[in-house]
């Protein structure tokens, strides 16, 4: 069934996201929502647009709803903050019917429910591609885990599997056989989130900084260590998810370089003191040391300098 | 000159919006911004998209930058709140060059500067039409001026000129001669804002509610008075801006009905007690009584029921 009017669109939205909440002084539906979350607050924003961030052909409506919110939660958690609520502006093409809209909202509201997130408002416009623009707020009362806070000798680590989502993207985009790449495909469609881990890392004083990797480690590592530092990577094929290694081998690529280039990882990239890393390794299962910060600019893998690249909207 | 890369895009952005501010614990540029504005806060969000909300042919880049932010400020002020900061996600087609981008930022940053608004972050994506998605935050510590708070006998008033922006839209869209319609054209390209007036109305206990009119008074009046009430309008041609009357007369339309249908007014629509209106009339120059709330559903103009209509993204 087609979406017939704004009130039809909103009536369905209200079925998936309740309007009232004790946290809100004024809920969505008026000129503005008003909330009384205590200061300080974190705010981040991400677009999720058809044929740029997802393909209608291999993302289910539920996946689109899930991932468009997940990438925003990832940003908030990488600041060491707990997500609280979000608003959503929707670009709505004519092909979006009630079934798609319900699927999208189901994927999104299930994820929102896991974190107790409130929908605070939004806008809609009829256009030619589907897309959402989300702004998310989080509780910023803890320590703020920023970029550019590490120095030479500090350990660089990741939580999550670098290159796994990139592998899934390649398999899906080229229409290849998905068998054997189930984790990779899932990682692209529904990235794993590390909110609790990020919150616990924020309480560990040996952790100096944190960010979420969205443009590939090769592009994001220099942003994390800052202009005056470089990176000595020690990551090897044994550290990578087997599906990443298998895909790279099959295609005659270096698994390490392929993993470092993969975009939309949404893994956490962190830095900590050498002494602190042992404790983090015990506390965070699956945390992976990928190298160290160095005083020499550039990114080096096993001593060999890598050409910096990664996703740029102007070239990609 | 073309925009060459994300860093080129951001370097120009930073020229118009300073990154640092004492109000921000973490400025834009990291995973999230962190601010310490005191609770409660207001939040609102609006899209502003090429060929839906503006035409490239008659909006200058400066106008686009101005209006995309102005419509968000209008929402926050209609809640009786002072705007503080915003984030901006940009849809960027290939034709946007450095000259357009600078013009856009100049129009936006001049307006932001008038209200001391900070830019908190954003995202960008390459796409086929230009557009922006803005989320704005405001100081919600005053009284919240909501909809559906008026009752039978209350006075309905507006601040601003209903139908003036709609007149400008018709003149611009049809490519008609603009001479004699300078105020109308300006009202469509650069809507006047009433932030200080809205703040002062919030302090007046006789004011029961306020909203900004974006879809035309005929569409927004029922939203303002609520489902169980109606409206008796007494507005006459002598109450309207002369350019609205002239345009309607020229085109054989009823000036009153034409003014009530005009979209994108961004006038304030308020409701107050009968006794309170006299004081408001003295305090707010140009405030116009348009009618009264009635117990009878429907919108009536000089006793005659009007067919409800106004902009709907699904039909318009």
């Amino acid at each position: 069934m087609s979406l017939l009017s704004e009130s039809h669109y909103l009536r369905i939205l209200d079925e998936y996201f309740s309007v009232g909440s004790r946290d809100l002084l004024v809920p969505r539906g008026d000129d503005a929502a008003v909330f009384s979350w205590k200061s300080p607050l974190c705010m981040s924003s991400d677009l999720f647009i058809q044929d740029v961030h997802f393909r209608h052909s291999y993302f289910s409506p539920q996946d689109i709803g899930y991932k468009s919110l997940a990438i925003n939660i990832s940003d908030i958690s990488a600041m060491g903050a707990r997500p609280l609520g979000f608003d959503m502006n929707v670009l709505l093409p004519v092909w979006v019917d009630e079934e798609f809209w319900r699927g999208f909202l189901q994927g999104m509201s299930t994820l929102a429910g896991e974190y107790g997130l409130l929908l605070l408002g939004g806008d809609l416009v009829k256009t030619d591609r589907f897309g959402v623009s989300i702004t998310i707020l989080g509780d910023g009362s803890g320590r703020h885990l920023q970029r550019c806070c590490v120095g030479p000798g500090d350990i660089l680590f990741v939580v999550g599997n670098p290159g796994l989502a990139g592998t899934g993207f390649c398999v899906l985009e080229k229409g290849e056989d998905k068998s054997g790449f189930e984790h990779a495909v899932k990682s692209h469609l529904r990235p794993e989130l590390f909110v609790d881990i990020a919150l616990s890392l924020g309480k560990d004083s040996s952790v100096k900084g944190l960010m979420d990797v969205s443009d590939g480690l090769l592009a994001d590592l220099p942003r994390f260590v800052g202009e005056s530092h470089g990176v000595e990577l020690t990551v090897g094929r044994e550290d990578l998810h087997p599906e990443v290694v298998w895909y790279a081998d099959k295609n005659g690529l270096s698994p390490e370089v392929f993993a470092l280039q993969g975009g939309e990882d949404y893994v956490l990239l962190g830095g900590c003191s050498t002494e602190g890393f042992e404790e983090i390794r015990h506390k965070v299962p699956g945390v992976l040391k990928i190298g160290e910060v160095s005083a020499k600019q550039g990114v080096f893998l096993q001593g060999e300098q890598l050409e910096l690249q990664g996703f740029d909207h102007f070239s990609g």
Side-chain angles (χ1 to χ4, degrees), chain A:
Chain A
M1 187 188 175
S2 303
L3 289 173
L4 305 172
S5 62
E6 285 183 42
S7 61
H8 185 200
Y9 164 96
L10 290 170
R11 206 165 54 238
I12 297 172
L13 183 76
D14 290 347
E15 286 181 38
Y16 291 86
F17 287 96
S18 74
V19 173
S21 160
R22 282 185 308 173
D23 276 6
L24 297 179
L25 304 180
V26 179
R28 71 173 185 275
D30 212 300
D31 292 309
V34 187
F35 44 84
S36 53
W37 293 316
K38 75 172 198 288
S39 175
L41 290 172
C42 283
M43 183 175 186
S44 184
S45 199
D46 262 327
L47 289 158
F48 195 67
I49 308 284
Q50 184 182 354
D51 294 332
V52 180
H53 302 100
F54 72 90
R55 298 268 187 225
H56 194 26
S57 54
Y58 55 75
F59 270 76
S60 72
Q62 286 81 354
D63 293 334
I64 298 168
Y66 178 97
K67 188 166 179 178
S68 59
L69 179 57
I71 62 175
N72 281 282
I73 294 176
S74 179
D75 277 318
I76 285 291
S77 66
M79 188 52 73
R82 188 169 58 83
L84 295 166
F86 65 104
D87 68 18
M88 170 170 66
N89 287 344
V90 179
L91 309 176
L92 206 64
V94 285
W95 59 257
V96 170
D97 57 11
E98 183 169 331
E99 187 186 349
F100 178 94
W101 184 227
R102 284 186 181 278
F104 171 86
L105 290 168
Q106 197 234 309
M108 176 174 276
S109 61
T110 303
L111 178 61
E114 278 180 41
Y115 294 98
L117 300 192
L118 299 178
L119 180 61
L120 300 166
D123 191 11
L124 91 119
V125 70
K126 292 293 269 188
T127 182
D128 35 11
R129 301 194 212 181
F130 186 77
V132 288
S133 172
I134 286 179
T135 292
I136 188 164
L137 293 173
D139 174 349
S141 59
R143 192 158 64 100
H144 311 128
L145 297 171
Q146 294 180 243
R147 307 173 183 184
C148 305
C149 297
V150 287
D154 283 338
I155 304 287
L156 293 166
F157 64 85
V158 296
V159 179
N161 291 291
L164 190 60
T167 302
F169 172 74
C170 290
V171 169
L172 289 164
E173 189 67 13
K174 292 178 187 163
E176 294 179 15
D177 184 3
K178 286 180 269 190
S179 54
F181 293 109
E182 287 80 4
H183 292 96
V185 163
K186 187 170 179 217
S187 181
H188 181 64
L189 299 178
R190 296 199 169 215
E192 193 179 353
L193 294 170
F194 304 103
V195 176
D196 290 336
I197 290 175
L199 284 168
S200 113
L201 289 171
K203 290 178 189 140
D204 186 329
S205 62
S206 73
V207 175
K208 300 191 176 175
L210 201 67
M211 78 179 279
D212 85 319
V213 177
S214 55
D215 292 343
L217 271 170
L218 260 188
D220 283 336
L221 273 166
R223 295 171 183 155
F224 184 66
V225 299
E227 273 179 15
S228 50
H229 299 128
V231 176
E232 291 282 357
L233 293 170
T234 51
V235 66
R237 59 187 290 138
E238 69 283 4
D239 297 320
L240 301 173
H241 192 285
E243 293 183 11
V244 177
V245 177
W246 187 32
Y247 188 86
D249 284 350
K250 254 186 38 169
N251 289 278
L253 305 166
S254 151
E256 296 88 344
V257 175
F258 176 65
L260 293 168
Q261 287 171 339
E264 300 194 84
D265 274 330
Y266 300 106
V267 299
L268 293 175
L269 167 63
C272 66
S273 64
T274 320
E275 316 80 63
F277 185 67
E278 272 316 300
E279 201 181 324
I280 291 171
R281 200 204 297 267
H282 284 292
K283 271 201 312 202
V284 182
V287 67
L288 172 69
K289 173 180 167 178
I290 58 168
E292 290 186 13
V293 182
S294 76
K296 187 173 160 192
Q297 283 172 297
V299 177
F300 297 80
L301 174 64
Q302 324 286 11
E304 197 175 320
Q305 186 157 15
L306 296 174
E307 203 188 321
L308 294 185
Q309 56 186 91
F311 188 75
D312 184 310
H313 279 285
F314 289 80
S315 57

